[in-house]
Amino acid sequence: MEAQERIMDTAFSLFRQFGTRSITMDDIAERMGISKKTLYAHFTDKDDMVTQTISRFIQVVNEECLADRQKSRDAIEELFLVMDMIDRRLRNMNPVIMLDLHKFHTKAFQAFEEYQNNTLATMIRENMERGISEELYRPDIDIRILTHYRIHACMICFKPELFPGGYDMNKVQRVLLENFLYGVASLKGYQLIEEYKQLSQNK
């Protein structure tokens, strides 16, 4: 693994735990046992590091979503595989990271919004089209409206003020995605959801 990738991995592990605002270049250098000069050989400044690190995370998530689509047998299994991936990727992530990006790292936040409004929106739309063609989703669903709904539902777990008393980000995402599936499913699809849930619980 290249030095720049190792730095981004270390930085992201800190950002996901504590957010970006509270982590300094000194913290990252100390965690890696290297000098700040080495960090600046790869990144212009902290903002550049945050932007590249978040962009890399987005790319990894996108590649995993595409892989899940390729190996899935149907539209519903695709979303169950995505749920498992989200469980892994969001585990122990502090929701403050999104607030920090919004407030202090414009380019990184724009990269996330670009992914959300284009790549993610396309994946959601194509999954619904696939589900309809497989007769697992109802043919009368409004794909355009539900695409926007899913995009915004994905962001709810990054808003801790909506869940006073603490909550599990993974559980929020899973509950929302399962309920979305139940809402769009045909009778055939509903039965398949139940089968995949049973398989998932038996893992």
Side-chain angles (χ1 to χ4, degrees):
M1 188 183 296
E2 294 182 3
Q4 188 171 8
E5 291 180 333
R6 289 199 300 272
I7 293 170
M8 286 192 285
D9 283 346
T10 301
F12 188 71
S13 71
L14 291 170
F15 295 154
R16 68 179 291 137
Q17 282 182 272
F18 307 106
T20 62
R21 187 183 183 188
S22 63
I23 298 299
T24 66
M25 296 294 264
D26 285 312
D27 294 327
I28 297 165
E30 182 180 349
R31 173 66 66 91
M32 295 194 71
I34 60 177
S35 67
K36 275 204 303 182
K37 184 178 179 181
T38 303
L39 296 183
Y40 287 115
H42 295 281
F43 304 96
T44 307
D45 51 26
K46 180 183 169 182
D47 188 56
D48 179 43
M49 178 186 288
V50 171
T51 300
Q52 291 197 49
T53 300
I54 294 301
S55 295
R56 182 167 177 258
F57 176 72
I58 290 169
Q59 181 183 352
V60 168
V61 168
N62 185 49
E63 288 171 356
E64 290 198 21
C65 284
L66 290 173
D68 287 340
R69 174 186 291 178
Q70 289 296 319
K71 65 185 178 185
S72 62
R73 290 167 290 186
D74 52 67
I76 291 175
E77 185 183 31
E78 178 184 340
L79 291 192
F80 270 86
L81 291 172
V82 168
M83 277 192 273
D84 289 340
M85 183 272 290
I86 290 172
D87 278 347
R88 295 192 307 273
R89 291 294 172 185
L90 293 188
R91 193 169 294 137
N92 301 321
M93 185 176 288
N94 189 333
V96 75
I97 189 172
M98 196 56 63
L99 182 62
D100 285 353
L101 294 184
H102 191 202
K103 284 188 173 183
F104 307 110
H105 302 286
T106 303
K107 287 183 180 178
F109 189 72
Q110 286 175 344
F112 184 83
E113 283 195 316
E114 173 73 16
Y115 165 75
Q116 186 182 20
N117 295 327
N118 292 286
T119 306
L120 180 59
T122 298
M123 284 188 176
I124 292 169
R125 187 190 73 244
E126 289 176 352
N127 177 268
M128 283 190 277
E129 291 169 348
R130 178 184 181 183
I132 290 172
S133 70
E134 295 170 341
E135 299 183 348
L136 300 175
Y137 298 165
R138 293 182 289 106
D140 61 329
I141 61 175
D142 190 313
I143 291 177
R144 183 169 175 271
I145 291 175
L146 288 175
T147 296
H148 286 289
Y149 166 78
R150 270 301 300 154
I151 288 171
H152 290 287
C154 289
M155 297 305 296
I156 288 178
C157 70
F158 290 101
K159 298 181 178 180
E161 69 276 9
L162 297 179
F163 300 91
Y167 70 105
D168 182 336
M169 289 175 69
N170 292 26
K171 184 174 181 180
V172 171
Q173 281 290 8
R174 183 169 287 274
V175 168
L176 291 175
L177 189 47
E178 282 185 3
N179 278 272
F180 170 78
L181 269 174
Y182 282 123
V184 299
S186 63
L187 179 58
K188 178 182 174 183
Y190 185 96
Q191 293 168 340
L192 197 55
I193 293 169
E194 293 299 305
E195 289 177 21
Y196 283 130
K197 279 185 70 175
Q198 190 64 43
L199 288 171
S200 179
Q201 290 167 3
N202 291 335
K203 284 183 180 179

